[in-house]
Amino acid sequence: MAIPDHHLTEGERRVRSFHPHWRTLAGPFAALVLIAAASGAGLWLVPGSFEYAGYARIAICAVALALLTVWSFAPYLRWKNTGYVLTTHRLTISSGVLNKATDEIPMARITTVGSGQTLIERLLGSGTLTVESAGERGPLVLRDIPRVQEVRGELFRLLEDASDGEPDTDAARR
């Protein structure tokens, strides 16, 4: 997903790879349904006897396609091209559709890990993960992380292993 296996260092193993939670696509999906319904109704309501009916239908389709691109297709591409990879040595966050940005935080530099969930996030199994590293950037806030408590637990295990100098083989196999 975010980093290919051939970019892993010797002895480094991928523990977990994931995208943001699917709930981030709820708005774009609702927009897709509403735009499709509205454009279908608009096409149906254009009278056949109207002199410029063909042009009106083309205009409705063009507007619908533009709205679908902005409100549904682009958010889907952003979701699909945002990935998180947790390995035995680092946390990698990559995002971008046309331009790609990748942030990597080595396990040895992570100082604090926190998580938070609203009621809806608890029901849907997502949350916000906050990672602080020994750097000048400040805390990194990752929103809409699926199974945030599991990710936080794995991150803690990997941090303990990094401080011990011995990777946990059970955590690396998951």
Side-chain angles (χ1 to χ4, degrees):
M1 176 191 310
I3 57 174
D5 286 337
H6 66 274
H7 286 182
L8 299 177
T9 60
E10 186 175 328
E12 184 178 17
R13 288 179 300 283
R14 185 184 315 261
V15 176
R16 183 183 284 247
S17 297
F18 52 96
H19 292 287
H21 195 267
W22 60 264
R23 82 180 183 100
T24 58
L25 295 175
F29 181 74
L32 173 86
V33 172
L34 289 173
I35 293 168
S39 61
L43 291 172
W44 184 72
L45 290 174
V46 173
S49 61
F50 181 53
E51 181 179 353
Y52 299 107
Y55 293 119
R57 289 186 177 110
I58 289 172
I60 290 170
C61 289
V63 169
L65 186 60
L67 292 175
L68 283 173
T69 299
V70 171
W71 289 342
S72 292
F73 188 60
Y76 171 75
L77 285 178
R78 273 192 299 277
W79 175 83
K80 186 70 175 163
N81 288 296
T82 298
Y84 306 105
V85 177
L86 187 59
T87 71
T88 54
H89 292 78
R90 59 189 157 165
L91 170 63
T92 303
I93 302 108
S94 77
S95 62
V97 178
L98 299 176
N99 298 324
K100 199 75 163 166
T102 302
D103 288 329
E104 293 183 348
I105 304 172
M107 288 296 161
R109 297 195 43 99
I110 295 176
T111 57
T112 307
V113 177
S115 64
Q117 292 178 298
T118 63
L119 177 62
I120 291 175
E121 288 175 334
R122 288 184 71 192
L123 293 172
L124 294 175
S126 69
T128 300
L129 186 70
T130 306
V131 178
E132 289 189 48
S133 65
E136 298 175 8
R137 293 181 72 187
L140 180 63
V141 178
L142 306 173
R143 301 189 191 294
D144 298 321
I145 301 297
R147 298 184 179 127
V148 71
Q149 296 300 335
E150 290 177 20
V151 172
R152 185 174 163 259
E154 285 177 345
L155 197 48
F156 273 129
R157 280 190 294 280
L158 291 168
L159 287 173
E160 287 177 10
D161 294 341
S163 66
D164 294 345
E166 299 176 12
D168 182 11
T169 56
D170 291 337
R173 285 188 208 139
R174 287 185 215 143

